[in-house]
Amino acid sequence: KVDKAADIKMIGFDQIISDLKQALFSNFPYTPIYPFGSRTMGLATADSDLDIYVDADGNDIYTDKPTPTNLNNQKKIAQALKSSANWIFIRCVDGMCPIVIVRHKASNILCDISFSRKITVDQNTLVNYIFELQPIARYMVIYLRSWAHENGLSQFRGHIFVLMVIFFLQIRKQLPSISGLQTDCCPNFGPWKTNFAKLGLSFFNMKPVPLNAIEARNILKDFFSYYSKFDYGVFVVCPWLGKAVRRTEMNEHMPWK
């Protein structure tokens, strides 16, 4: 499954992105478009969808809800893809981060197109870098996603396992905290920092975990043991600080404080 996920990542998405740029050109000429999500992180299965971000005008404004510009962009994107021979329009989804869902005909890949928050792409970039720092993390997430699927735990979304694995390796001193990678960075999207410094494990006096069957079994055993004993009623998992934080103290660590 690890090899299959890597193969899916290597296939690339050039034709999909090219067809999307062509369909949107009249409304969004020369607009940057980025693939992201499980397919770009080497976590996907053959039937995984592809997340795509259209960096349209008005996306640099930090807000907790869609702006009129965001909603207008959603209508433009939906209409353009309905009129394109390369796409099958599925539906529009509203909410904090509205999207347009379509299927690319040539590849038969389902695509979720967003256009309001580039922070999702930046988070993807950070996770990819963490997987480069500590490759065992990607192996663990792939196993856990498969384990959840086989045991009917559909409520566990893929990003939850990413957060849990990163945090678990942090408390073992095998990954740095996210704040450690962002020490000299300034907020660049409202109160949030989405950029980071590419500091190697050696900078934090850490070493890569060996990639072998014995190590993988042992670390997964420790993972399940740790989270089976975690006091969820008192603490929260906090990859940003790389340590458990009391629920009563969470507000003190929020970026607007």
Side-chain angles (χ1 to χ4, degrees):
K1 291 180 179 179
V2 170
D3 291 339
K4 288 181 180 178
D7 290 342
I8 290 171
K9 180 179 180 180
M10 290 297 293
I11 290 173
F13 320 101
D14 291 348
Q15 188 59 53
I16 295 177
I17 299 302
S18 177
D19 287 348
L20 183 58
K21 286 183 176 180
Q22 180 182 8
L24 299 182
F25 188 81
S26 61
N27 287 309
F28 304 96
Y30 310 110
T31 297
I33 296 178
Y34 306 95
F36 69 102
S38 62
R39 282 183 173 268
T40 67
M41 291 191 290
L43 300 175
T45 59
D47 59 351
S48 295
D49 59 10
L50 173 64
D51 296 304
I52 302 176
Y53 176 75
V54 178
D55 197 6
D57 291 340
N59 294 349
D60 55 347
I61 300 173
Y62 174 76
T63 176
D64 290 331
K65 59 183 179 180
T67 65
T69 299
N70 295 150
L71 297 177
N72 188 44
N73 286 339
Q74 183 184 40
K75 292 179 182 178
K76 289 181 179 180
I77 292 172
Q79 188 57 50
L81 295 176
K82 287 178 182 178
S83 305
S84 173
N86 294 319
W87 299 89
I88 300 172
F89 174 80
I90 306 297
R91 65 182 182 276
C92 288
V93 177
D94 299 324
M96 183 178 295
C97 184
I99 62 174
V100 175
I101 302 177
V102 293
R103 187 176 297 277
H104 183 244
K105 287 184 179 180
S107 64
N108 199 37
I109 291 177
L110 195 69
C111 300
D112 292 348
I113 302 174
S114 61
F115 36 84
S116 61
R117 289 173 177 243
K118 189 173 180 289
I119 190 172
T120 54
V121 179
D122 296 334
Q123 290 169 341
N124 195 123
T125 302
L126 174 58
V127 172
N128 263 326
Y129 182 66
I130 289 173
F131 286 170
E132 292 175 13
L133 283 180
Q134 199 60 276
I136 193 70
R138 185 171 72 89
Y139 284 56
M140 293 174 68
V141 173
I142 290 173
Y143 172 85
L144 291 165
R145 283 162 61 102
S146 176
W147 169 82
H149 177 74
E150 292 174 0
N151 287 277
L153 301 175
S154 58
Q155 68 270 31
F156 278 91
R157 302 294 298 275
H159 68 276
I160 295 177
F161 287 124
V162 171
L163 293 174
M164 293 176 73
V165 166
I166 289 174
F167 178 77
F168 175 70
L169 294 174
Q170 288 171 335
I171 57 103
R172 289 166 62 100
K173 307 301 181 185
Q174 292 171 324
L175 274 177
S177 65
I178 304 305
S179 62
L181 295 174
Q182 296 181 324
T183 299
D184 296 323
C185 298
C186 297
N188 60 336
F189 186 69
W192 307 104
K193 299 178 182 180
T194 70
N195 49 352
F196 61 94
K198 291 190 174 183
L199 303 174
L201 289 180
S202 59
F203 182 85
F204 300 96
N205 296 316
M206 298 175 181
K207 295 180 180 180
V209 177
L211 289 177
N212 58 63
I214 294 176
E215 189 67 38
R217 282 194 295 269
N218 287 338
I219 201 167
L220 284 166
K221 179 181 177 181
D222 291 346
F223 174 92
F224 282 109
S225 177
Y226 175 79
Y227 281 111
S228 69
K229 300 173 184 176
F230 191 87
D231 192 342
Y232 299 94
V234 177
F235 296 99
V236 296
V237 167
C238 184
W240 188 67
L241 294 176
K243 65 179 183 179
V245 175
R246 287 184 176 274
R247 288 180 175 273
T248 55
E249 299 173 358
M250 272 301 297
N251 281 341
E252 298 175 17
H253 299 288
M254 297 304 286
W256 51 77
K257 291 294 181 179

